[in-house]
Amino acid sequence: MYDTILIPTDGSQVAQHAVEHALDIAAKYDADVHTLYVVDTGAMDVGLGTEQVDRLRQGQFGSMPEVRERAESATNAVAEAARGSGYDLEVTEAITAGQPHRQIASYAEDNDIDLIVMGSAGRGGIKRALLGSVAERTLRTTHLPVLVVDVHED
């Protein structure tokens, strides 16, 4: 049923909680695992300039090592969780830039993903209506199954 699972991550605790679910599903279905970090170019500082944002969209992170480090740290955390899970899972790590929901959907299509497992920040009320969330936008952008793991803080 699920041969390839995508775990989009931003390195947050909510994303890490989704990783546990995704790895469990991957082990049950003997699925390949991909993890993706999307540099949100829409949220980048306006002071960067168009040229810098274009470089990010093309995957040229050399001029912004802190962005590359944050992205690699997030995807590495997923790979480490897979190695430490006791399951025999290989993880493909990827970094891209653009609108997160669109990049997630595009990556999923390009890599024959069968299931997307991602965290939700659990926003509600007005914030949710005004801002939306990457998870909600991903649900509207792709026709693939999306498992959204919500974590409520105590």
Side-chain angles (χ1 to χ4, degrees):
M1 178 173 273
Y2 302 119
D3 294 323
T4 311
I5 297 173
L6 174 61
I7 309 168
T9 184
D10 60 3
S12 69
Q13 192 62 35
V14 173
Q16 278 304 114
H17 190 65
V19 170
E20 296 170 25
H21 289 267
L23 295 178
D24 187 57
I25 294 168
K28 284 185 171 88
Y29 286 97
D30 193 28
D32 294 331
V33 176
H34 290 238
T35 185
L36 175 67
Y37 182 98
V38 180
V39 178
D40 187 353
T41 55
M44 299 301 289
D45 184 8
V46 177
L48 283 179
T50 306
E51 185 177 323
Q52 195 81 318
V53 172
D54 285 341
R55 284 188 187 140
L56 287 173
R57 286 191 180 121
Q58 295 170 15
Q60 299 172 3
F61 302 101
S63 62
M64 299 185 72
E66 67 281 352
V67 172
R68 162 86 63 215
E69 288 171 18
R70 184 175 33 225
E72 288 176 349
S73 176
T75 60
N76 286 339
V78 175
E80 286 294 321
R83 282 190 284 277
S85 69
Y87 305 130
D88 185 24
L89 300 171
E90 295 272 334
V91 178
T92 300
E93 298 177 58
I95 301 168
T96 190
Q99 292 180 310
H101 66 285
R102 292 190 192 284
Q103 292 300 318
I104 292 166
S106 177
Y107 185 93
E109 184 177 317
D110 293 347
N111 291 277
D112 295 320
I113 301 296
D114 300 307
L115 173 67
I116 300 169
V117 180
M118 60 193 307
S120 170
R123 283 187 289 213
I126 291 292
K127 274 187 160 179
R128 183 181 207 155
L130 293 175
L131 299 176
S133 73
V134 173
E136 288 174 304
R137 290 177 182 163
T138 300
L139 284 166
R140 291 192 304 260
T141 305
T142 185
H143 297 290
L144 294 170
V146 179
L147 172 61
V148 179
V149 179
D150 194 10
V151 177
H152 296 282
E153 292 185 29
D154 292 331

